[in-house]
Every structure is written in structure tokens, then in C-alpha cells.
Amino acid sequence: MCGIVGYIGPKKAVPILIEGLSKLEYRGYDSAGVAIVNNGKIEIEKCKGRLSALEERLKSNPIDGSLGIGHTRWATHGEPSDVNSHPHSNKDFTISVVHNGIIENYLKLKEWLISLGYEFKTETDTEVVPHLIDYFYDGDIVKATMQAVSKIEGSYALGIVCSKEPDKLIAVRKDSPLIVGKGNGENFIASDIPAVLPYTRDVYLLDNREMAVLTKDNVEIYTIEGLKVNKEVFHVTWDAASAEKGGYEHFMIKEIHEQPKAIKDTMTSRLMPGVDEIKLDDIKLTKGDLENINKIYIVACGTAYHAGMVGKYVIERLAKVPVEVDVASEFRYRNPLINKNTLMIVISQSGETADTLAALRLGKENGARVIAVTNVVGSSVAREATDVLYTWAGPEIAVASTKAYVTQLIAMYIIALYLGRLNGNVSDEEFRLIRDEMLKLPEKAEHLLEQKETIQKFAAMHYVHKDMFYIGRGLDFAVALEGALKIKEISYIHAEAYAAGELKHGPIALIDKGVPVIALATQDELFEKMLSNIKEVVARGAHVISFAFEGNDDISKVSDAVVYLPKTLSILAPVLSVIPLQLLAYYTAVERGCDVDKPRNLAKSVTVE
Ligand code: M6R
């Protein structure tokens, strides 16, 4: 997620911007830059890499000036590079902009601006903004910004400076966070509170579609339609470390709560209400290409592998192409049958996992076409694959993957629908049904998160156990594996996941009085069979917590407790059913006093074999 900082006051802007950006480093970034208004013109320094690289450049080319904006970029549109780094400017460098969010209609706006003679230097969606403001500018930057944002669809937090009005700093937001820090004879903007805490604890929390106009002595807030807003100052009482986590105790729980937005962002511009096709900019696979594909391999590690298991099920079900799913460390050494008729899908949050990358290379060497599903723009898998589908989860900091997983699931549905539409196996009617249900998932995920106290109580009851079992059938089995992995990695409880029908072939011998069994029963056609499997473990004394859709009340008769999920299609259930399992793992780890964000022996990105 990008970070924004802006300053207007009597001091030199550069050190304040750099310090502010350093407080936002936890958000993750791949490049950084500043734009400073100095002696009637805007001077810019920006580059790919860490903030220290930017600082080095600023040491060799110091910039004076006490009005400026700074940015750390987490790439979405256009790879990490010097030129794609923010700030972006209009042609004569009189207007500069930093942006956090995704401008959904940027291609349309870009074409229109090009037709008017505007020239673009970058691959970013953001670059349309300074040109749009330039188009409307007639001596009033506030008015021009309001006109420009009225044309933008999508999410944005923007910091804007104009060298022709060096007494103003503009901030405006919709669906991306932005705050204003109110100082004494100086004012600040930032995408998060920690960036301004060294200077002030008084902030305005901008709401959606609000705009702040800062001078060094004053802050005025308006709606983007120009109506004045009287906003209360919010006095920050937290310390800087907890502010980085947005008030949450750990990054993991923050990231669990970010899932509704991550799901929505990953669907943005690809799946749209009323549009009967999937739009994918970075996947060029055609109908003809697909006709030559006779096998799909999905290859990944850990949580990404579990998303791949869901991918196998949904691609086979919707596109009707045979799929094998493999753990990357096994795939690369088992001489898989790959040729030019093979399509590989590799899934990796980081895009740098050594085994996944090796599997991708093996696939390419043997003639396969490779689609990468990754969360990191410009990562190794993204660069080396034939096609890329980015999950827009934003940086994931906790070692235990949560929001990346749900966006990987969304990517699997998107690919399955895309392939199914290409080869004609998904009808208009089926497409519309799934699309409309998918678009409701963010709201349903939000609703589930509201039940977190129930899960917290289960964690308080069960955290003392040494073993836990997770059971399910079909897609529920794939989610059971992910639930068990979550609890293992952060609470260190021994957990096993089984296909519920397999229990009686051996594992049921482990079920004893009081052993917690987490039973997933979201697959309509397998519901009755799951009830029988639950009864089998209840008969051996297990304490069963079941997860089923609202309305399936029969399950309460055979379970000690039930968590009801908002109803959706069975095929989409994993996106919702995993959320309470993540919460269960989280609260259990907290009860056990574990280091939730940095579990022992684990690293976020496994770049060694
Ligand atoms: O970055 P990747 O998605 O390639 O990482 C794969 C696994 O290392 C990762 O999912 C791991 O299993 C997580 N710690 C699970 O929470």
C-alpha cells in the first residue's frame, strides 16, 4: 500500500517528508519520491528501491523549499521503476501529485487526454491526475482539483501541489485513507497517523469525498462538491507503534479485517455489475490458445497451494479442463508431463518463493504457457511468467497469510470464469449468477467479521488443547487444510485436516473425549454426508464446532456449537468460511501468548529451497 506525506510550513520540507515516509515503511513499498515547490518551480527526486536510495540522491542533489509531497509506492499499474515512481506531474511541472488507490477508468481518461494532445511518460493509472488537473486549471488549484476528481472512478487519496499557488497544499480522498495533521504554523497530510506523530497529535480524519486545503496557518475542509465541512479535531493518544497497526494489536488481525476491501479491490475492473465478461489486462490467452490446452497444472506452496486446491475444483467445474494441483517443491522433482499444450498457473503472494519460481522455470523450459497469480508487481514470478493476474491485497506483513489467501481465491474464480467463457462452458446465466454473488462477498465478509467475539470465546475454551482436527468434504476440505495450517503456524497446536470421508480409514482412531473438531459443512450437495461424519466423531467424544450457512439449522443438533455464515453459492463458500478459521487461529495464538506476527521458525518470504 502506498504511503503519502505532505508538508507546508516554515521548515525545510525534505527531512520532514523523509521522516514521515519512514514511519509508513511498515505498509510495504517498492519506490519512493518527493516533489518540492522551490522558488516558483517544482523539483522532483524519485527512484525505485528503499527510502535510503532516495535519501542518497537527495544528498547529492539537495532541494530546498518548505512545501512538498512525498510518496512510497506499492506498485499496482506499471512495474516498480524510477519513471513509474510518484510524484507524477503535468507537462510543464507546475502541478505534481501523489496517489494511493486505483483509478478504475484511467484507460478511458488517458485516451481522452491523449486525444487532446497530452503526453504520458509512465504506465501508471496515477499520471492521468496531474494532466486532468492541468486541463481544468485556470488559476484556481482547488477548483481544478474538484473538477478533476469528479471525472475519476475508483479509489484515491491524493496529495497535490501547484507551483503557481505556493501557499497551498491539497489533500482529497475516496476509499483510501488520508489524514491532516494540524500543527502550529505548519500543517501536514499523511496516509496514516504515525507519519505526523513526531510533530502533532491533533489530526483531522478525512472522510470519503472530502478535500482539505492547507496553508501553513490554516486547514479548510470541503466536500469534493465544494461545500464547507466543519470537522472535529481528533486527538491521538496512542503511541507510534500501535498507530502503525491502525489501533489493532497485531498486523494479522488488521489484515484479517482488511479482507472485505482486498476482495473488492481484486475484483475491481475485472468483474463488473451488469457486464457479462471478465476483463483481464495482463492475460492475453485467446480462445485459440485455450483450444490447444489439454491440461492445467496449478503449482504453489503453503497457503497459496491451498488456494490452488480450490482453483482445481472451480476450474474443472466451470471451464471443464483437467487440472492437477501440486506443491512446488514436489512438482519440480517429479518429472511432470509438461509440453506446449500445458497451461501452468503458479500462485505466490510474494512472487519470490524459490520452489514456485523453479517450478515456473521448469514449465517454461518445457514449453508451457504460465500464468502467475501474485500480490507483488514486478516480482520474479510476475516478470518471468507469460501472463500475470495480480491480487490486489496490498502488502501483507504478518507471516501468516490471510488477506492474500482470500484474494488468491478470487483470482481462481476469475480465471475459472475467464476460461469457461472462452471455451463456452460457462453460460450467460451461470456467469451472471456467480458474478452477482461474487460482488456481494465483501459485504458478507464484513458481516462475518462482526461475529468475532463468538470465535474469541471458542479460542478461550480450546487454547489449552494439544491437538485439533479440521474436517470437510469437497471445497470444505481445501479450507480445512488452510484452517489447520493457520492454527499450527501461529499457535503451535498440532492440527490435522482430513477429508471427512477419510476419517474412518484411520484418523478416527485419534478422536477421544473432548478433542476439538472443526467441521465445515458449506457444500450443499454434501451436507447430509457431513452430518453423518460429524455424528461419527461426536460418538467418540469429540467437541464439535461446525461452520454452515445460515438456515442449515439441522447441524446444531449434532454439534456442540455452530458458526453460521451468510448464505452464498457453495462454490464461493471458501472465501467466507476461512475467515472464522483465521480468527480462531489468531485468538488461540493470543490466548497462548504466542508471537502472532512473527511465529517461530518461519519467514514471510521463503527464497531458499
Ligand atoms: O509468498 P508465497 O505465497 O509464495 O508463500 C508461500 C508460503 O510460504 C506461504 O503461503 C506460507 O505457507 C504462509 N506462512 C502461510 O500462512
Side-chain angles (χ1 to χ4, degrees):
M1 259 175 310
C2 306
I4 290 176
V5 181
Y7 175 75
I8 184 162
K11 299 175 191 148
K12 279 192 181 174
V14 165
I16 293 171
L17 298 181
I18 298 289
E19 184 178 14
L21 292 174
S22 75
K23 299 284 189 284
L24 301 178
E25 281 190 299
Y26 71 91
R27 296 161 72 89
Y29 67 102
D30 48 57
S31 43
V34 293
I36 309 292
V37 179
N38 190 22
N39 289 330
K41 55 185 181 30
I42 293 179
E43 291 184 48
I44 293 186
E45 196 61 75
K46 57 184 191 173
C47 59
K48 179 180 162 183
R50 311 302 296 170
L51 257 184
S52 52
L54 176 67
E55 280 182 274
E56 281 309 311
R57 289 199 182 196
L58 285 162
K59 264 188 212 149
S60 337
N61 290 311
I63 312 179
D64 277 341
S66 47
L67 164 63
I69 47 180
H71 191 261
T72 43
R73 174 172 188 248
W74 167 265
T76 58
H77 294 63
E79 62 174 13
S81 66
D82 288 2
V83 68
N84 286 337
S85 310
H86 297 213
H88 295 295
S89 307
N90 61 341
K91 192 176 174 194
D92 59 8
F93 285 86
T94 52
I95 296 164
S96 282
V97 170
V98 286
H99 169 223
N100 178 7
I102 297 171
I103 296 173
E104 287 167 21
N105 60 338
Y106 83 101
L107 281 174
K108 230 197 288 173
L109 291 171
K110 190 169 172 174
E111 276 167 24
W112 175 65
L113 287 161
I114 288 172
S115 75
L116 296 174
Y118 284 89
E119 284 169 22
F120 282 75
K121 298 189 194 107
T122 79
E123 301 162 287
T124 65
D125 52 338
T126 304
E127 198 186 352
V128 296
V129 182
H131 293 313
L132 257 186
I133 299 176
D134 177 280
Y135 172 79
F136 288 112
Y137 189 73
D138 63 1
D140 184 344
I141 188 68
V142 175
K143 199 172 97 202
T145 303
M146 284 177 182
Q147 287 170 308
V149 295
S150 74
K151 301 280 174 224
I152 294 174
E153 289 164 22
S155 57
Y156 53 81
L158 297 166
I160 301 158
V161 290
C162 173
S163 59
K164 294 180 182 161
E165 298 179 59
D167 58 338
K168 286 191 194 88
L169 169 60
I170 311 285
V172 56
R173 72 155 279 196
K174 178 181 163 272
D175 294 335
S176 282
L178 201 58
I179 61 114
V180 174
K182 197 173 170 309
N184 191 2
E186 58 183 358
N187 289 308
F188 310 81
I189 62 169
S191 41
D192 205 352
I193 290 170
V196 302
L197 281 186
Y199 310 101
T200 178
R201 290 185 162 266
D202 289 337
V203 300
Y204 293 112
L205 306 173
L206 290 185
D207 283 313
N208 268 342
R209 304 169 65 81
E210 282 183 351
M211 175 173 181
V213 180
L214 289 73
T215 61
K216 68 184 175 51
D217 297 310
N218 196 23
V219 177
E220 300 275 6
I221 298 173
Y222 303 91
T223 66
I224 56 174
E225 289 81 23
L227 298 174
K228 186 102 198 299
V229 176
N230 290 317
K231 212 172 237 316
E232 300 264 306
V233 167
F234 174 76
H235 186 72
V236 182
T237 50
W238 332 308
D239 61 21
S242 49
E244 281 176 14
K245 294 180 188 133
Y248 291 101
E249 204 180 331
H250 299 99
F251 282 111
M252 182 180 176
I253 188 73
K254 177 171 178 270
E255 288 161 6
I256 288 174
H257 279 85
E258 284 168 354
Q259 292 184 112
K261 181 171 185 308
I263 296 167
K264 185 165 180 273
D265 285 351
T266 302
M267 293 191 293
T268 288
S269 78
R270 295 162 173 167
L271 207 59
M272 287 174 284
V275 179
D276 289 346
E277 58 175 324
I278 299 261
K279 292 202 191 285
L280 297 178
D281 290 348
D282 297 328
I283 296 188
K284 309 278 181 250
L285 184 95
T286 62
K287 192 167 187 292
D289 297 331
L290 185 56
E291 274 163 12
N292 292 323
I293 301 291
N294 54 26
K295 159 84 89 58
I296 298 178
Y297 283 114
I298 302 181
V299 187
C301 300
T303 286
Y305 167 74
H306 296 152
M309 287 182 72
V310 173
K312 169 184 166 64
Y313 183 98
V314 296
I315 292 172
E316 288 190 341
R317 160 93 190 271
L318 297 174
K320 311 221 181 315
V321 183
V323 182
E324 275 188 53
V325 55
D326 269 84
V327 167
S329 55
E330 290 296 314
F331 180 84
R332 57 187 291 198
Y333 295 115
R334 77 168 172 85
N335 300 316
L337 302 174
I338 311 169
N339 56 42
K340 63 179 178 20
N341 302 115
T342 308
L343 175 66
M344 261 180 85
I345 301 173
V346 296
I347 310 173
S348 174
Q349 186 284 129
S350 60
E352 302 296 344
T353 299
D355 285 318
T356 309
L357 194 52
L360 179 159
R361 288 176 181 153
L362 180 70
K364 287 201 84 178
E365 274 159 29
N366 287 280
R369 181 176 189 123
V370 184
I371 299 179
V373 173
T374 179
N375 198 34
V376 181
V377 175
S379 57
S380 301
V381 304
R383 286 199 311 272
E384 296 191 28
T386 329
D387 305 286
V388 189
L389 181 63
Y390 287 113
T391 53
W392 287 335
E396 194 178 60
I397 293 163
V399 165
S401 185
T402 54
K403 61 177 181 169
Y405 172 72
V406 294
T407 59
Q408 287 162 354
L409 295 182
I410 297 296
M412 292 299 105
Y413 297 119
I414 286 177
I415 290 174
L417 287 170
Y418 180 73
L419 300 179
R421 291 300 271 172
L422 270 189
N423 66 14
N425 279 315
V426 173
S427 66
D428 286 357
E429 198 187 356
E430 190 175 26
F431 179 80
R432 287 175 196 150
L433 176 72
I434 298 173
R435 174 200 64 201
D436 293 348
E437 279 302 317
M438 282 180 73
L439 292 170
K440 289 180 200 154
L441 288 171
E443 198 186 316
K444 291 182 180 177
E446 200 76 69
H447 178 67
L448 253 179
L449 289 167
E450 285 161 14
Q451 297 185 43
K452 62 184 175 195
E453 277 81 16
T454 315
I455 310 287
Q456 203 167 1
K457 279 186 204 139
F458 295 147
M461 280 163 69
H462 291 297
Y463 75 97
V464 287
H465 286 280
K466 286 205 172 72
D467 306 288
M468 282 176 79
F469 294 89
Y470 288 67
I471 58 172
R473 286 170 167 263
L475 284 174
D476 284 339
F477 172 48
V479 179
L481 283 163
E482 175 57 10
L485 175 62
K486 283 291 88 94
I487 205 135
K488 278 185 262 210
E489 69 180 329
I490 61 166
S491 75
Y492 318 141
I493 291 178
H494 166 241
E496 299 278 359
Y498 289 107
E502 260 302 284
L503 283 176
K504 56 176 92 56
H505 298 285
I508 202 159
L510 296 167
I511 305 294
D512 205 355
K513 201 168 172 347
V515 169
V517 173
I518 307 299
L520 293 151
T522 68
Q523 300 301 296
D524 290 341
E525 70 277 25
L526 297 166
F527 186 71
E528 296 300 328
K529 296 202 180 299
M530 261 315 284
L531 290 190
S532 304
N533 296 136
I534 294 172
K535 283 182 199 156
E536 288 161 10
V537 292
V538 168
R540 272 88 187 166
H543 183 96
V544 177
I545 305 173
S546 295
F547 294 75
F549 285 131
E550 284 161 358
N552 282 340
D553 300 333
D554 282 355
I555 202 160
S556 65
K557 295 181 196 141
V558 297
S559 313
D560 294 281
V562 183
V563 174
Y564 287 106
L565 312 170
K567 181 78 183 122
T568 186
L569 302 174
S570 286
I571 198 175
L572 302 178
V575 180
L576 300 179
S577 57
V578 76
I579 295 175
L581 302 189
Q582 297 165 342
L583 288 167
L584 183 64
Y586 172 75
Y587 288 120
T588 304
V590 171
E591 289 284 352
R592 290 166 71 93
C594 299
D595 187 349
V596 174
D597 286 334
K598 294 197 180 95
R600 69 187 181 203
N601 308 337
L602 296 178
K604 182 68 188 161
S605 186
V606 185
T607 52
V608 291
E609 195 179 342

